Amino acid sequence: MRSEGRAPFGLKLATLLGLLYLHVPMAFILLYAFTTDDKSYQFPPPGLTLRWFGVAWARQDIWDALWLSVRVGLIATLIAMVLGTLAAAALYRARFFGREVITLLIILPIALPGIVTGIALRAALNLADLPFSFWTIVCGHATFCVVVVYNNALARFRRTSGSLIEASMDLGADGFQTFRHVVLPNLATALLAGGMLAFALSFDEVIVTTFTAGQQTTLPIWMLSELVRPRQRPVTNVVAVFVIAVTLVPILLAYYLTRGTEHVAGGGR
Amino acid sequence: MITRQAPSATTAGGAAAPAVLLAEVSRQFGEVRALDRVSFAVEDGEFFAMLGPSGSGKTTCLRLIAGFETPDQGTIQIHGRPMAAVPPYDRNVNTVFQDYALFPHMSVLDNVAYGLMVKGVGRAERHRRAGAMLELVALAGLEARRPAALSGGQRQRVALARALVNEPEVLLLDEPLGALDLKLRQQMQTELKALQRKVGITFIYVTHDQEEALGMSDRLAVFNAGRIQQIGTPRVVYEQPATAFVASFVGAANILSAEQAEALTGQRQSCALRPERIRLNGAAPAELQAEGTVLDVQYHGASTRLRVALDAGPELLVDCPSEREPAAPGARVSLGWPRSALQPLSPETPG
């Protein structure tokens, strides 16, 4: 599997540069959260201070935006976990005409540019004469959150030996008991991982939200609006640092939860 | 506790109904006829083997009895009760799966107690019974392990205990020893047979290994291409194979066509001749004799197998004890066998 030879120096250097390119900008975000200069980003920062954390903490608009983002993320994730699991179970087990088409249609929202999803949803909401609200944002987010959960659940179904369900039925468990005692425990970590990824996606979504939100401001939308007026600029950086932390934790957790599940569950040999 | 009395289910006539009865059962998968009008009865307490090559329908037959498949035609009864509309979880039948299908997220004890749990048996009671069953299959002490931390042989025993703890009327075993190495497989054959005698449950055992089927079963059914070729005790199936397929699938056999048989014996009837029934350069005169040339010699340990081209045409396999120095390739030999060693064959798929 793994090649024994060592990678050439050039390749290592290129890898290092690539990783730096990806992550150095984040270090600047972190750095300028502490700068004493509140108008422009000059390097090096003229001084370091913690006062922006206090300022950010005291601003009600930030708290409102954060609370909205958390609620949207949680509910969109919940919807995605139910619908994604059901879709994965149905498409894994059943063989029917049009199955491939439905698979494609479920996955499509994550492949489509957010701007298309956004415009389409906005037009549909207008046509249906539905007012923009908290729930329109949730529905917009759920479109791509479902895909993440669906993919995770489907991958786990594929790795679970089909005879486990038959074994459970054989031992006297009806459909509900089999789901509760065999299917769900086998899916649990995959669902948790999918749910966390879905939440992370929802939490930093801008484009679909722009098209489906009315007056509400989610945290990413708030940050975008802060960029155009450079008052108290480091506050935006403080919030950005917070967002990085909030999204990193579930992604790391998801990674650790699904790690080591590469073997086929139930393949008893 | 797990030794059962004879079942109370009886037919209208008063005689005990067979444990499992299949009547004219067919099952089609798309274009493939997996089972074609199969009928047989398994007696209560019997060790019944279903033997055949892969794709012969034996596993489909097992899945029909378990309830994972429904027959397209025909009926299945378990202890006289028709199974047409009965789902797997309402059948008093349990299965040992080929890949064991142990629940990976449960301990060994919880795996074994699963069937009792879903039936609502209390925690203390089901753990006690599962523990007793694990003791029976010599796995005491491994209760807390996960299946992933067991060897293949241990998993096999857990699968067996998990099925037996429910005290099924019939235990179905789908090539349960297929994943084990030869030594362990032979040991488990002996243990399974002893276990079956001890618990007195009807075993229906699917295998493609003729040695397993002959050694363990009370009776066996030989499957080929969705049909049963022969049902009988191991001795009858081996010594009086009904068709050329049975003769060559169960053990080794020389199949003589009607023409070849006529040249050798004077009787125009296709027949089978077991290699070990042929005597080489026999001291005592045999009823039937033929001359030939040795083509090939294979040493098999206890016996040595010769391939001999007869002057009359056909090639014959001959097994002789290895204690004698065998003939070398190219040597002229004379073969002899009693008339009773010739087993007349009927055309494929009788009936």
Side-chain angles (χ1 to χ4, degrees), chain A:
Chain A
M1 300 275 203
R2 218 160 278 185
S3 77
E4 293 295 318
R6 294 169 59 84
F9 176 73
L11 186 60
K12 284 183 187 164
L13 187 69
T15 309
L16 182 67
L17 288 177
L19 286 175
L20 283 178
Y21 169 74
L22 285 173
H23 293 287
V24 164
M26 300 240 233
F28 278 97
I29 295 270
L30 194 62
L31 179 65
Y32 284 107
F34 297 96
T35 181
T36 49
D37 177 18
D38 72 346
K39 289 285 184 297
S40 59
Y41 295 146
Q42 44 176 291
F43 190 83
L48 296 177
T49 170
L50 281 175
R51 75 175 260 257
W52 303 117
F53 282 81
V55 173
W57 183 266
R59 275 179 55 173
Q60 188 57 38
D61 57 337
I62 296 178
W63 283 110
D64 291 344
L66 175 66
W67 178 229
L68 179 67
S69 277
V70 168
R71 276 186 305 155
V72 167
L74 285 179
I75 294 178
T77 301
L78 196 69
I79 293 173
M81 282 171 81
V82 174
L83 295 184
T85 308
L86 291 178
L91 290 168
Y92 170 69
R93 290 197 68 188
R95 299 280 176 275
F96 54 88
F97 179 74
R99 179 170 169 270
E100 302 304 317
V101 178
I102 291 181
T103 307
L104 184 69
L105 287 178
I106 288 177
I107 296 183
L108 204 55
I110 211 158
L112 275 183
I115 194 124
V116 175
T117 312
I119 289 177
L121 276 173
R122 191 176 187 93
L125 290 171
N126 278 333
L127 275 178
D129 214 11
L130 288 171
F132 296 113
S133 67
F134 170 74
W135 290 105
T136 55
I137 307 178
V138 169
C139 289
H141 286 198
T143 58
F144 52 83
C145 289
V146 167
V147 186
V148 180
V149 176
Y150 165 82
N151 276 337
N152 269 273
L154 190 66
R156 181 61 58 88
F157 272 127
R158 289 202 176 124
R159 281 196 238 122
T160 305
S161 157
S163 54
L164 285 187
I165 291 167
E166 283 187 351
S168 172
M169 302 283 239
D170 186 74
L171 292 165
D174 59 26
F176 176 76
Q177 287 173 316
T178 298
F179 181 79
R180 167 154 158 33
H181 295 299
V182 175
V183 179
L184 205 54
N186 272 303
L187 277 185
T189 52
L191 285 188
L192 208 51
M196 283 175 177
L197 286 177
F199 182 82
L201 274 184
S202 162
F203 195 75
D204 71 353
E205 217 291 328
V206 174
I207 304 168
V208 175
T209 318
T210 315
F211 285 94
T212 51
Q215 296 306 307
Q216 298 91 341
T217 307
T218 61
L219 202 61
I221 301 277
W222 177 86
M223 288 176 73
L224 200 61
S225 64
E226 282 297 297
L227 278 183
V228 290
R229 42 170 194 157
R231 187 179 64 93
Q232 292 187 324
R233 211 167 213 171
V235 172
T236 323
N237 284 44
V238 169
V239 176
V241 168
F242 178 74
V243 170
I244 292 174
V246 166
T247 39
L248 205 59
V249 168
I251 286 175
L252 283 179
L253 273 177
Y255 170 74
Y256 280 106
L257 282 172
T258 48
R259 206 179 46 159
T261 53
E262 280 80 29
H263 68 281
V264 175
R269 306 197 182 170

Side-chain angles (χ1 to χ4, degrees), chain A residues 163 166 168 170 177 181 268, chain B residues 63 94-95 99 105 114 118 155:
Chain A
S163 54
E166 283 187 351
S168 172
D170 186 74
Q177 287 173 316
H181 295 299
Chain B
R63 293 175 57 81
N94 287 115
T95 307
D99 66 354
H105 58 287
Y114 185 82
V118 296
R155 283 177 205 179

Side-chain angles (χ1 to χ4, degrees), chain B residues 37-80:
Chain B
R37 282 168 292 138
V38 162
S39 303
F40 61 85
V42 180
E43 297 308 321
D44 193 32
E46 193 174 22
F47 196 124
F48 188 81
M50 299 198 286
L51 174 68
S54 54
S56 60
K58 57 194 191 309
T59 296
T60 303
C61 208
L62 198 78
R63 293 175 57 81
L64 283 164
I65 300 169
F68 302 133
E69 309 274 354
T70 43
D72 295 327
Q73 280 153 37
T75 54
I76 298 173
Q77 293 185 7
I78 296 176
H79 284 291

